[in-house]
Amino acid sequence: MADVTIIGAGNMARGIGSRVVAADRSLEILTRDASKAEALAAELGGAVSGAALDQKVSGKIVVLALPFDAAQEVVKSLGSALDGKIVIDISNPVNFETFNSLTVPAGTSAAEELARLAPNATFVKAFNTVFAGNLASGKINGQPLDVFIAADSAEARSAVVSLVNDADMRAIEVGGLHHARELEGFQLLHMALQVNPAYENFQWGSAIQIAG
Amino acid sequence: MADVTIIGAGNMARGIGSRVVAADRSLEILTRDASKAEALAAELGGAVSGAALDQKVSGKIVVLALPFDAAQEVVKSLGSALDGKIVIDISNPVNFETFNSLTVPAGTSAAEELARLAPNATFVKAFNTVFAGNLASGKINGQPLDVFIAADSAEARSAVVSLVNDADMRAIEVGGLHHARELEGFQLLHMALQVNPAYENFQWGSAIQIAG
């Protein structure tokens, strides 16, 4: 049993994993290839285990640290294993060829599309506006990273707010899950800046912050 | 003749006007009630004039410092007086009863709707994510305010980028006018935080900044 399960072992899994450890939560990493999960677990240290992704998901909070397409597949394959869980979608459904549009239709979002696939899970949009590199410290220019959180369930929002704040970042609740669209849309613009030569100092290391 | 025309004499007109003066551009303020334009012009000092809004708009750049509804009316009433102008839309089509949704349909934006009303003008979305109070200095916590700019015309974007940078803020170009949707959507979330008791320290004085 772990407090939090992260599915995935890429850069975002590493970054969020390091914050979960900083927040003193026990953590389980699951991937299709168990060796990758085990390697990341060992790297993160603390109360972290790694295992193969099957139908057993122990965390009350489950982070899909995956691109949108992979997240869809995993949610479908897990089926009822996600029932009753708080599932965090971090994905950005960006057209990565052009960085000029989202791949979901107007009026919806990756988070809402994923939520439809697992109606007995409680979905939360979070972490989609932060880059992996900044999660190691949870800070940008010495300030806590802002982590925007959208969910219909106040209880689920509150659980993720606690996790984020305990990990020395600043949780910002923006309301219902339909606001995932606005979070994904603004991150599209933020990502596009990273590949725009006019803003070459950003280099996937910038952050969207509410200053003041 | 003025470099820039601002239509409106409210808080955003005052804030943007002070930045136009800081950028050393000549400025004309136009309002239906000439006395309000004259009063704001006198307050701003510098090369600023105020007059009644009729069909004469002298600035090459025209800032609609108005709420979305009023901006629609003004654009319709000006008709061909806006032909050839660079028109900056700063509005946020927010449901101000709920702060939970935009009043334009999914897939469009205030800027795109206004642009349809004046097909011979070149529309630019800018300044919609900044609050009036921060424009007096153009800074937040000692850092230049980020001003996000969307427009289809590279020439128009470039003119607004120069104005913003000359006014000691930081222009951030986010691409075509269709990205106004993302700017308006994220500002919806930012405005909602101002009326959320959990974030009572913001008080309409915060700013969306790209840190790093």
Side-chain angles (χ1 to χ4, degrees), chain A residues 96-171:
Chain A
F96 290 105
E97 306 269 310
T98 65
F99 285 95
N100 197 34
S101 62
L102 296 179
T103 61
V104 291
T108 186
S109 61
E112 290 161 286
E113 295 305 308
L114 289 169
R116 260 175 223 125
L117 299 175
N120 297 317
T122 304
F123 272 76
V124 177
K125 187 84 198 185
F127 297 109
N128 77 296
T129 64
V130 297
F131 292 133
N134 292 325
L135 285 165
S137 67
K139 298 206 160 22
I140 181 87
N141 300 337
Q143 296 293 313
L145 274 180
D146 282 347
V147 176
F148 299 94
I149 296 165
D152 291 333
S153 155
E155 188 196 338
R157 277 206 307 271
S158 170
V160 180
V161 164
S162 292
L163 175 64
V164 166
N165 287 337
D166 288 352
D168 300 322
M169 299 178 288
R170 180 169 69 165

Side-chain angles (χ1 to χ4, degrees), chain B residues 20 27 38 42 60 75 84 91 99 114 153 162 181 187 192 196:
Chain B
V20 171
L27 172 62
E38 287 160 7
K60 169 72 182 160
V75 169
S91 74
F99 286 96
L114 289 169
S153 156
S162 293
R181 176 72 192 199
Q187 180 67 357
N196 181 339

Side-chain angles (χ1 to χ4, degrees), chain B residues 35-200:
Chain B
S35 68
K36 288 185 183 163
E38 287 160 7
L40 179 55
E43 183 188 329
L44 290 171
V48 186
S49 64
L53 176 65
D54 56 23
Q55 297 304 109
K56 248 182 57 212
V57 178
S58 75
K60 169 72 182 160
I61 294 179
V62 179
V63 182
L64 303 172
L66 299 165
F68 179 44
D69 289 355
Q72 287 177 296
E73 281 175 45
V74 162
V75 169
K76 281 181 201 159
S77 73
L78 284 175
S80 63
L82 291 177
D83 287 2
K85 305 290 187 184
I86 293 170
V87 180
I88 300 180
D89 164 42
I90 71 161
S91 74
N92 287 294
V94 165
N95 179 331
F96 289 105
E97 306 270 311
T98 64
F99 286 96
N100 197 33
S101 62
L102 295 178
T103 60
V104 291
T108 187
S109 60
E112 290 161 287
E113 295 304 307
L114 289 169
R116 262 176 221 126
L117 299 175
N120 297 317
T122 304
F123 272 76
V124 177
K125 187 86 200 184
F127 295 110
N128 76 297
T129 64
V130 296
F131 291 134
N134 292 325
L135 285 164
S137 67
K139 298 208 161 18
I140 181 88
N141 299 338
Q143 295 294 312
L145 274 181
D146 282 347
V147 176
F148 299 93
I149 297 166
D152 291 334
S153 156
E155 189 196 336
R157 276 207 308 270
S158 171
V160 179
V161 164
S162 293
L163 175 63
V164 166
N165 287 337
D166 289 353
D168 300 322
M169 299 177 288
R170 179 168 70 164
I172 297 196
E173 289 185 70
V174 300
L177 194 66
H178 69 286
H179 289 309
R181 176 72 192 199
E182 280 84 55
L183 297 178
E184 295 169 15
F186 202 68
Q187 180 67 357
L188 163 67
L189 305 185
H190 186 213
M191 284 182 160
L193 293 174
Q194 313 301 314
V195 297
N196 181 339
Y199 302 97
E200 62 185 354

